[in-house]
Amino acid sequence: MAMTTSNMLAIGQPAANFSLPDTQGNNVSLSDYQGSKGLVVAFICNHCPYVKSIINQIILDTKELAELGINSVAIMSNDPNEYEEDSFENMKKISSDLNFSFPYLLDETQEVAKAFGAVCTPDFFGYDKNLGLQYRGRLNESRKESVDGAKRELFEAMKEIAISGNGPRHQTPSIGCSIKWF
């Protein structure tokens, strides 16, 4: 599992459109989940120790962000042939077992990850109400182990975006496992 740092992108860049299957059997598009104040797009997977260490915080933060008008989606773009734990069946199990409050989507072709510029798991993209990129950073300072009392960087950035429409000036890239490309 190669550690990879996310690529910082230009603020204001528009979100890439997508239509992907979710673990509930629906096809989900970008516009289906655009919140009144913004949207978080998270690239995650089931096997990554970086994701495993923060998944409960992701679930909590996305629930609280929904109350602020910011919706969330999670996308799994790894090659499941390389990691069985990332199979669609296991995606269904994880999202059900952990009671995800956001759709968990399968990017079978990896085209959506490429369109967003995602390179690792977890990889977070925070958009304003017009789907312009305002945040390109990490959830918090946790790595393979959760850091107790870590500042909620993604949550605070998205809260700022909900209020002002703009993300913070300082953004720290996410670090995680590289996406497992075909």
Side-chain angles (χ1 to χ4, degrees):
M1 289 180 234
M3 184 181 80
T4 302
T5 303
S6 62
N7 297 320
M8 300 308 280
L9 302 172
I11 297 300
Q13 180 175 322
N17 201 8
F18 60 79
S19 181
L20 297 171
D22 72 6
T23 56
Q24 304 300 311
N26 303 306
N27 233 25
V28 173
S29 68
L30 178 68
S31 61
D32 293 336
Y33 278 88
Q34 180 177 353
S36 63
K37 299 284 184 171
L39 175 69
V40 171
V41 177
F43 287 83
I44 66 171
C45 69
N46 300 339
H47 87 273
C48 174
Y50 294 90
V51 173
K52 287 179 177 183
S53 76
I54 61 171
I55 193 65
N56 290 326
Q57 190 65 50
I58 293 171
I59 293 166
L60 174 67
D61 286 357
T62 56
K63 284 179 182 175
E64 290 183 22
L65 287 171
E67 295 170 12
L68 301 175
I70 295 174
N71 290 338
S72 302
V73 298
I75 300 173
M76 202 296 292
S77 298
N78 279 349
D79 176 359
N81 295 321
E82 191 167 337
Y83 287 91
E84 176 59 29
E85 196 174 345
D86 291 340
S87 72
F88 193 57
E89 287 307 311
N90 284 326
M91 287 175 60
K92 290 177 185 179
K93 181 175 178 3
I94 291 285
S95 64
S96 174
D97 289 353
L98 296 178
N99 198 27
F100 283 5
S101 61
F102 49 84
Y104 194 17
L105 313 174
L106 176 61
D107 178 16
E108 289 181 280
T109 66
Q110 301 181 324
E111 292 303 314
V112 174
K114 291 174 184 172
F116 272 82
V119 295
C120 61
T121 58
D123 214 353
F124 299 98
F125 298 77
Y127 294 93
D128 61 26
K129 67 180 180 180
N130 298 315
L131 297 177
L133 185 67
Q134 293 296 322
Y135 185 73
R136 187 69 178 94
R138 61 189 183 181
L139 182 81
N140 62 33
E141 65 186 297
S142 296
R143 302 295 174 123
K144 289 184 182 178
E145 296 82 28
S146 180
V147 174
D148 289 336
K151 181 181 175 197
R152 297 168 73 188
E153 295 172 48
L154 173 68
F155 179 84
E156 291 300 327
M158 294 309 297
K159 184 176 175 182
E160 187 176 324
I161 292 164
I163 294 167
S164 72
N166 297 305
R169 286 182 170 266
H170 177 72
Q171 302 180 13
T172 303
S174 189
I175 292 177
C177 296
S178 61
I179 289 179
K180 307 308 178 236
W181 304 106
F182 299 128

